[in-house]
């Protein structure tokens, strides 16, 4: 990466590309999808997104999941199940 860091304009383009590909586009698509479904389903999807991100980080990136993170994920999933059961 030394040759890239020696050229500030390349660093800027790399940062803009990274921001666009990893943040702006996914968030735009996520929010556009939420607008197209009923509010109840949107809230469930919005609640489960951090759980999926945490599990994906552990599975694909080798991140160590702390007990507190696993407990939080279990609490979120339990709340979603409880919500689904109470609505029936």
């Amino acid at each position: 990466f030394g040759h890239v860091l020696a050229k500030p304009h390349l660093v800027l383009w790399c940062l803009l590309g990274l921001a666009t590909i990893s943040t702006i586009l996914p968030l735009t698509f996520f929010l556009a999808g939420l607008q197209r479904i009923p509010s109840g389903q949107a809230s469930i999807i919005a609640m489960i997104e951090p759980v999926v991100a945490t599990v994906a980080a552990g599975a694909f990136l080798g991140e160590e999941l702390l007990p507190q993170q696993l407990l939080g994920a279990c609490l979120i999933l339990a709340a979603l199940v409880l919500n689904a059961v109470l609505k029936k």
Side-chain angles (χ1 to χ4, degrees), residues 54-80:
T54 302
V55 171
F60 298 114
L61 301 176
E63 294 284 329
E64 182 181 343
L65 299 179
L66 300 174
Q68 299 92 323
Q69 292 170 311
L70 294 173
L71 176 63
C74 289
L75 289 173
I76 291 172
L77 294 175
L80 290 172

Side-chain angles (χ1 to χ4, degrees), residues 29-48:
F29 292 143
F30 179 72
L31 293 176
L34 289 181
Q35 291 177 344
R36 290 175 169 73
I37 61 175
S39 61
Q41 290 176 340
S43 66
I44 290 171
I45 291 171
M47 284 181 62
I48 203 163

Side-chain angles (χ1 to χ4, degrees), residues 19-30:
T20 301
I21 292 170
S22 65
T23 304
I24 296 170
L25 286 177
L27 185 59
T28 301
F29 292 143
F30 179 72

